[in-house]
Amino acid sequence: MSLLLKNGTLVLPFGPQQADLRLHKGVICEVGPGLPVREGDRVLDCAGKLVLPGCIDTHTHFEMNKGKPNETADDWVSGTRSAIFGGTTTVLDFAEPEKGASLQSALDTWHARADGRSSCNYSFHMTIKDWNEAIRAELPEMTRQGITSYKIYLAYAMRVSDTVAYEAMQAIAQEGGVLGCHCENGELVELGIAGQRAAGHLSPAAHPLARPAAVEAEAVGRYLAIAELAGAAVNIVHLSTARALELVRAARGRGQKLYVETCPQYLLLDDSVYGLPGFESAKYVFSPPARSKADVAALWEAVADGTVDTVGTDHCSFTTAVKALGQEDFSRIPNGMPGVEDRLRLLYTYGVAAGKIDLSRMVELLAGNPAKLFGMYPKKGVLAVGSDGDVVVYDPRPEGVISAQGNHSACDYDPYEGVKVRGRVDTVLLNGKVVLEDGRLTEGQGRFVSRGPSQFWR
Ligand code: URP
Ligand code: ZN
Ligand code: ZN
């Protein structure tokens, strides 16, 4: 028996096409117009709906700071439930070793948290906090276990030196993997925070003032210079400013291979969120912070013209109660907010329906490019014969409003509360099976995705 999606608009690599899709034994086995219904087939009528490859969220933090006062609300159960309702069939979450611990210990911990509990498919980026011969020696074993992407921070206490960035990106490149970076200059952020505190600015309104655009630009410029010297292709995560985009374009102009992720918060929100009354702005304390309207416009341009490669959410669901840890001092507010369920609807509404990007570009940003950059293509990221049966049916017609109440995250707020959206996720297929239909989810069907080398296209 196969599953037949009939009469939908399939978003294929060369563009949207009215066609049908057949799945059998977990994979896509036929794509084309007028596929015949065979005895025993289950038919899903997709007339008027879009059929997309399952979206891949390149950036989540589930069960972050587990067991600590600043733990995130979403564990692997609620976070991945929310992902599926948002049309995301694979998440790439950040595994984080304890300071001084091995990469393997973090991988084991993340597997223990996710295996058998995840409603979507999943893999992990590995965070590098320490760098020494023992950690370097673990890389081939990480590759063997399907982990081919990493992240370093140039900000926060876990920031690494330029030497570590250089050595790590070279070693990871030798493995065929890619090193992503949180690009903010940590020392300058600390100076910025100290300056705000000295001026008596302790509310969340001080958060963006302590981390201005120059702080990101410095770190992006440095990271790209290091990558140029190391001869390694790299990824910049959650890029937020026009200034950083200028640096990216200049580096590419010199022939450098690099990839850029941005997030919906840098496309939908601006720094006016830091002027909200009371402690409301704390919800928007994430880093880099929401930027100026000019930055937002520049990022949309970069999303449209191909400068940006992927859009991940940076889902990091600190509740308002946890945010209150910084009630007296903005710098103690845990950085991050939810969003995993909102990405597709936001990109469809404010990208495609608004005429900024077309459907193919949206799918490239949310599925195709993530699959290539993170070693999953063409099993994932594309509707093609032989690809995994991860498929989203999106109905573009209904109009709705985002709300925490209507979403499935365990967080007590949604940063896009009240934002109008066009369309909704109608049905989701995971590994060839329907897991979401008529608003009902079959939970816990996610599988670990063992990834291969990055498939660089630039
Ligand atoms: O504020 C953020 N982005 N929190 C999550 C951790 C990170 O830096 O990605
Ligand atoms: Zn980061
Ligand atoms: Zn993050």
Side-chain angles (χ1 to χ4, degrees):
M1 178 190 129
S2 59
L3 196 55
L4 188 57
L5 276 60
K6 283 210 69 77
N7 309 317
T9 301
L10 273 53
V11 184
L12 300 171
F14 49 83
Q17 194 194 345
Q18 284 299 121
D20 303 337
L21 190 76
R22 190 190 302 280
L23 299 105
H24 189 60
K25 292 194 174 160
V27 298
I28 297 172
C29 61
E30 260 185 291
V31 182
L35 297 184
V37 180
R38 299 194 190 118
E39 202 177 319
D41 279 353
R42 177 167 179 211
V43 179
L44 298 180
D45 183 15
C46 298
K49 298 173 188 168
L50 303 170
V51 180
L52 318 172
C55 297
I56 299 167
D57 193 333
T58 50
H59 197 141
T60 66
H61 301 271
F62 298 140
E63 295 186 35
M64 189 166 148
N65 304 333
K66 192 171 175 64
K68 300 185 179 143
N70 58 347
E71 184 173 357
T72 53
D74 282 313
D75 62 8
W76 277 85
V77 174
S78 63
T80 58
R81 179 190 298 149
S82 191
I84 289 281
F85 274 97
T88 289
T89 52
T90 303
V91 294
L92 299 176
D93 199 77
F94 288 88
E96 271 190 43
E98 294 293 328
K99 191 81 186 131
S102 65
L103 305 183
Q104 187 65 52
S105 67
L107 183 54
D108 293 345
T109 300
W110 256 252
H111 269 300
R113 292 177 185 177
D115 295 353
R117 298 175 76 217
S118 182
S119 286
C120 66
N121 294 327
Y122 57 94
S123 184
F124 315 118
H125 305 289
M126 183 57 64
T127 306
I128 292 187
K129 295 180 176 173
D130 300 294
W131 184 249
N132 50 47
E133 280 316 306
I135 298 284
R136 183 200 295 268
E138 285 193 272
L139 296 186
E141 189 50 33
M142 289 295 113
T143 308
R144 198 188 65 73
Q145 294 177 60
I147 302 301
T148 51
S149 53
Y150 296 79
K151 181 181 179 186
I152 54 167
Y153 290 76
L154 297 181
Y156 302 121
M158 65 173 116
R159 64 181 176 260
V160 300
S161 69
D162 297 350
T163 308
V164 168
Y166 177 90
E167 291 187 5
M169 66 177 67
Q170 264 192 346
I172 290 163
Q174 274 167 21
E175 291 296 315
V178 68
L179 179 63
C181 184
H182 177 122
C183 290
E184 289 184 297
N185 180 315
E187 286 190 20
L188 295 180
V189 169
E190 280 172 10
L191 274 178
I193 290 171
Q196 293 301 317
R197 279 200 192 127
H201 299 156
L202 296 173
S203 82
H207 174 68
L209 306 177
R211 315 174 90 102
V215 163
E216 179 179 77
E218 188 286 328
V220 166
R222 179 159 42 106
Y223 188 58
L224 292 181
I226 296 168
E228 182 184 350
L229 295 172
V234 291
N235 185 30
I236 299 171
V237 303
H238 51 47
L239 184 138
S240 68
T241 57
R243 282 184 65 165
L245 288 169
E246 275 173 31
L247 294 165
V248 164
R249 292 190 179 109
R252 283 188 179 144
R254 291 189 296 271
Q256 208 172 330
K257 250 188 192 184
L258 69 115
Y259 297 87
V260 173
E261 174 200 73
T262 193
C263 310
Q265 48 271 40
Y266 305 116
L267 297 168
L268 274 300
L269 305 174
D270 61 56
D271 51 12
S272 61
V273 295
Y274 301 112
L276 294 172
F279 199 58
E280 191 66 11
S281 297
K283 292 175 181 171
Y284 301 97
V285 169
F286 51 81
S287 294
R291 300 298 190 180
S292 69
K293 289 185 173 59
D295 285 309
V296 171
L299 275 162
W300 270 117
E301 230 174 88
V303 159
D305 73 12
T307 307
V308 167
D309 299 294
T310 60
V311 176
T313 61
D314 201 359
H315 180 97
C316 191
S317 55
F318 297 118
T319 60
T320 48
V322 170
K323 292 276 185 184
L325 289 168
Q327 187 85 50
E328 309 300 329
D329 174 355
F330 74 95
S331 70
R332 297 190 192 286
I333 300 171
N335 282 204
M337 63 172 201
V340 73
E341 195 163 341
D342 302 326
R343 182 180 61 144
L344 173 55
R345 281 180 299 172
L346 290 172
L347 264 279
Y348 180 77
T349 307
Y350 296 95
V352 177
K356 290 195 172 82
I357 55 173
D358 64 19
L359 277 171
S360 301
R361 177 77 182 129
M362 182 184 80
V363 164
E364 198 170 70
L365 289 159
L366 301 186
N369 285 351
K372 288 176 190 165
L373 184 57
F374 298 115
M376 296 180 277
Y377 194 87
K379 295 297 278 180
K380 304 212 181 286
V382 62
L383 298 177
V385 172
S387 296
D388 291 345
D390 296 349
V391 180
V392 171
V393 180
Y394 191 82
D395 187 342
R397 293 164 295 192
E399 301 206 341
V401 171
I402 291 183
S403 73
Q405 183 108 54
N407 274 358
H408 300 81
S409 161
C411 199
D412 60 336
Y413 72 92
D414 190 290
Y416 306 102
E417 186 77 30
V419 170
K420 289 184 182 156
V421 280
R422 292 265 296 271
R424 67 180 178 89
V425 173
D426 179 276
T427 306
V428 176
L429 280 60
L430 192 75
N431 309 314
K433 291 197 183 116
V434 176
V435 292
L436 178 68
E437 95 184 300
D438 301 327
R440 280 192 308 278
L441 172 68
T442 307
E443 300 207 26
Q445 301 299 303
R447 292 183 196 148
F448 175 67
V449 183
S450 181
R451 296 181 288 120
S454 293
Q455 294 142 281
F456 299 125
W457 63 92
R458 289 186 184 279

